[in-house]
């Protein structure tokens, strides 16, 4: 029942209506936020625009099979956990599914309790992996100072500069992941919240501002990097 604290957002991709609706209902009873898709192309469109903590993906789908859907998601550098469902108890299918980037696999008919346990495990594991390093309220690098609590910074020109709430949140996220690429999906989830989608351009504009504040030469950034099609990286 919904006594566990869960705010994870799941996508269920299944063409069989009764199973799709049954899964949605049971997952919602567990406290998850659930979106559904009936086919692969619809699922891919949703994945492109929204952040999900986990996808439950049927393999036997009309138009585009689940393995192709998974492969396409991975080609977009999206590492959302994927749990495959298959009607076939076929080990070749299982191996192929995992090889193409799936994280787990269940054969139909499955036991609901087992599905819920696996979903919980994948969601928790994913959240742990994304747990950031802790950064104190005042952070210094290369002669610059960022005060996350006061929402201000001292940039390359030595001037104090006010930061908007979103600027401070995005800076904090990048600093917490210093040296790592932070994906667009992570930024959407943490800075903008679930299911709201600013365009890539919006995030780019924030990065351009950061370069203006903190880079000696904003055309040749040393600290704020955009990695095309993947995300953004801060290096101190
Ligand atoms: Ca199916």
């Amino acid at each position: 029942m919904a006594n566990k604290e869960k705010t994870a957002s799941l996508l269920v991709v299944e063409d069989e209506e009764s199973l799709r609706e049954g899964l949605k209902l049971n997952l919602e009873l567990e406290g998850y936020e659930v979106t559904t898709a009936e086919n692969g192309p619809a699922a891919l469109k949703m994945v492109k625009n929204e952040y999900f903590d986990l996808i439950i993906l049927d393999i036997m789908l009309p138009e585009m099979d689940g393995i192709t859907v998974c492969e396409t998601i991975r080609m977009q550098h999206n590492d959302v956990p994927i749990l495959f469902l298959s009607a076939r108890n076929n080990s070749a299918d299982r191996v192929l599914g995992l090889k193409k980037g799936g994280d787990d696999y269940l054969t139909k008919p499955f036991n609901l309790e087992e599905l819920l346990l696996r979903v919980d495990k994948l969601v928790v594991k994913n959240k742990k992996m994304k747990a950031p390093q802790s950064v104190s309220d005042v952070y210094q690098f290369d002669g610059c100072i960022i005060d996350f609590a006061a929402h201000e910074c001292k940039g390359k020109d030595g001037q104090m500069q006010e930061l908007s709430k979103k600027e401070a949140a995005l800076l904090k996220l990048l600093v917490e992941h210093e040296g790592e690429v932070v994906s667009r999906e992570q930024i959407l989830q943490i800075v903008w919240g679930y299911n709201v989608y600013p365009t890539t351009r919006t995030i780019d504009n924030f990065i351009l501002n950061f370069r203006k504040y903190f880079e000696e030469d904003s055309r040749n950034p040393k600290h704020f990097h955009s990695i095309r099609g993947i995300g953004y990286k801060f290096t101190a």
Side-chain angles (χ1 to χ4, degrees), residues 13-16 19 38 58-62 85-87 108:
V13 191
E14 167 64 63
D15 57 316
E16 201 184 306
L19 183 54
E38 294 172 33
D58 187 29
I59 288 186
M60 298 277 281
L61 291 169
L85 298 180
S86 169
K108 293 184 205 169

Side-chain angles (χ1 to χ4, degrees), residues 133-140 146-149 172 175-176:
Q133 314 166 21
S134 69
V135 168
S136 58
D137 281 346
V138 178
Y139 179 80
Q140 303 195 30
I146 305 171
D147 187 331
F148 297 110
K172 185 145 199 236
V175 168
E176 283 171 342

